[in-house]
Amino acid sequence: MPSRQEVSYFGAGPAPLPTSVVEAGAKAFVNFNDVGLGLGEISHRSPTANKILNDAKANLSALLDIPDNYEILFMQAGGSGEFSAVVQNLVPVWIERRRRRAEADVKKAQPGAEQAQVDELVFQRLQKEVDEELKLDYLVTGSWSLKASQEASRLIGSKYVNVALDARKANGGKFGKIPAEDTWSLTPTKKEGGKGSAFVYFCDNETVDGVEFQQFPKSLEAQGQDAEDERLVVADMSSNFISRKVDVSKYAVIFGGAQKNIGVTGITIAIVRKDLLPPQTATPSPALLHRLNIGGLPGPIVLDYAITAKNNSLYNTLPIFNLWIAGQVMADLMAEFSAQKVSGQEEVANKKAELIYGALDKFPQVYQVVPDASVRSRMNICFRVSGGDDAKEKEFIAGAEKRLLQGLKGHRSVGGMRASNYNAVPLENVQKLVKYLEDFATAQ
């Protein structure tokens, strides 16, 4: 039986954790701080649980320099659950903004009207605007953003979903490139002569396809102070979370499942701008949403950002052990990189990725990196062996397994190889992989 130190694991998720966190977690699961109970047994409303939650918030806020006007929410249901949550939470923001504007216009036009009459006129206008103007923009650059757009269509109807970018159309029907921004068909804002969308969604790093946005899209930058000129940007960062510096202020919502870079399955992190939550932005009543007949709204209460924020992420039972693991990972990063914060981890991630891509590019006759060089992911490095020759790829996997290099098989939907370079993958394990890549290539 190999030891933990002998195995080099490159699986895409659940992913490796720092050994120090795993060892501490084993003790904490049995008897946390010598209290006689494990972290899987204590009350999620206990002082101990609250300290774990608050410490995790503080460390994440420090790591990413999260501004004070953002809430950090710990939720469940993974990134896939957030595909639904962003629709459930941000479409009502769009509706409420329109309702307030309609109410102000109606009262101005008919100052003596009774409230019941005002409400009916507002509803009629709102229904028309929903039917004709409600749009959700999706940038589809890989398997996960595709699933997100499909979930939005399933919830509220495809007529409301604008696929502003389908990267497959510019790449022979496959993912692997991100076309130039001037080819995207984003819903025009008021400043651009349109009405604006409820939000724009993109997946910052596509785990399956090895595609990563290299920087924040310029076309999504703030255009002005008017809410009608703003694009509410939603980013799924499940697979590159806390791996590089991010300007949080550019986003309405950032979310990510924990099981790639930050912990174990069961915790989802959402960073949400506070002005999208009550009391700064009221939520339309369930009765109004029912009457507007938008499918899927209102949604499950456990995915409601406002309810989660109001209850400090403890509306329902939060898995405290899973939260503690994520908190330990964040605390260790803060301790290791100190003033550099997440930028220190970014340097390490970039170095490891450069080593792997360097070895692959050194032997182009043996290895072919799948995505275009302009969008190569630092986290999920996808490549084929000998042009996808089945026998050669099986030989590659078998040889890797003999060296205890595990988790290198690509996603079942695309095949090939995938080396996931998450934060907890040590540099020495990457060096072992690079050595194998060179040895395998020179033996061909």
Side-chain angles (χ1 to χ4, degrees), residues 92-93 96-97 99-100 276-284:
V93 169
E96 178 61 17
R97 286 176 173 178
R99 189 200 66 76
R100 287 184 179 182
L276 303 175
L277 304 171
Q280 295 185 57
T281 295
T283 304

Side-chain angles (χ1 to χ4, degrees), residues 307-323:
I307 292 292
T308 304
K310 183 179 178 181
N311 290 275
N312 193 29
S313 298
L314 297 172
Y315 175 77
N316 62 326
T317 306
L318 193 68
I320 297 301
F321 175 75
N322 306 47
L323 176 62

